[in-house]
Amino acid sequence: LLPLSDRPSEGWKQWYQRRVRGRSIVSRTVCDKFFEAQTKAKTPDDVPPIITTNKNYLISIYREKIYLVAVTTMEIQPLFVVEFMHRVMDTFAEYFDDCSEGAIKDNIIVVYQLLEEMLDNGFPLATELNILTELIKPPTIINKAVSMVTGKEGVSSVLPGSQLSNVPWRRQGVKYANNEAYFDCVEDVDAIVDAHGAIVSAEIHGNINCNVHLSGMPDLSMSFINPRLLDDVSFHPCVRLKRWESEKILSFIPPDGSFVLMSYHISAQNQVAIPVYVRAMISFRDGQGKVDITVGPKQTLGKTVDNVVITVPMPKDVTGASMTTSVGTYSFDPVSKVLKWDIGKIQPLKVPTMRGTCTLAAGSECKDAHPTIHVDFKIMQLAVSGIKVNRLDMFQENYKPFKGVKYITKAGNFQVRT
């Protein structure tokens, strides 16, 4: 398992070969296969997630402008490997706050320590964050100074007690002065809308993200007003599956800190409400292009649509753009040929519009060009699927914690065809 930059530069290759090949983790030939596929790809999404070689399989994911590549010597369920790699990236983000190329290089020793604990001879072992933080201290300034002075690597010699208990995801003896439990229901809307405004496809990917700081060993139960909407679901190991199947109630002993309690997927067209509309007309003729885009709220239940950004990848023959916007600002990158309109918040009484023209290179027409518009947005206190938490109860402890539930809807892969 190895982290790689999204830029296949020679400097990165040399750094990787010095750091990784010296430890005989993976051969140089396997690295070259991946770098070759990465060089041929026009965009990061074009890199094949599974690459087959004569002796190995390379399974990769792309997050935070970094590829994570797993090398297997036999056939294995790819989704199992993908899920593990996402868990690794989540762990890096918790340890380093910034899961970037620079953060991984600066903390390469901690990266090796984490991988050695999370993988035991190629098999996943310790993947719970509370166990890892007991084994390997996060790289703070004090820990780095102590390591430099004493020469110790910062790995605990004592096995965490939770690793041997029936609840391995929660450490023993947790105590807090303020007991709090926060739950964020975050939904990503993936949609494709055609040029006439009809929905080609739409689906929702949702997560219930938790940040729990409770003393002792609390037992929580969460119920929903409309659990029938949740069919395609996956749970954290702490959830009691039998009670969910019989009563549609989430019963669990929570891990300490941040974790994803549940993920769900809704793909039924009649259950996916599109919260914004985009009307666009983009045409090219007589050596120039005309752009007319209007954006507005739709089925938001009165909630404000914020962080709205419209991105239009233009044809390669476009050399410039001159636009007039009623709300927000626009920019055009002549290198990447991307027209970007940063709207921000949509006011109820002022519909955002952008109109203008594009200049084309001499002799270009682009008559058959139909750019696809990418839409980003965020709506607070709205779950577009209709999911709503009914109540949250705590057992096995006598104190009363502070509890809060927040709903967020945002754009995933939201495209509008022209």
Side-chain angles (χ1 to χ4, degrees), residues 9 59 65 71 97 101 146 240 267 288 352 376:
S9 62
I59 304 174
K65 296 184 179 181
V71 182
D97 295 329
E101 175 184 340
V146 171
R240 298 180 178 97
S267 59
Q288 69 173 5
D376 290 316

Side-chain angles (χ1 to χ4, degrees), residues 20 107 142 326 404:
V20 180
N107 300 279
I142 296 177
S326 62

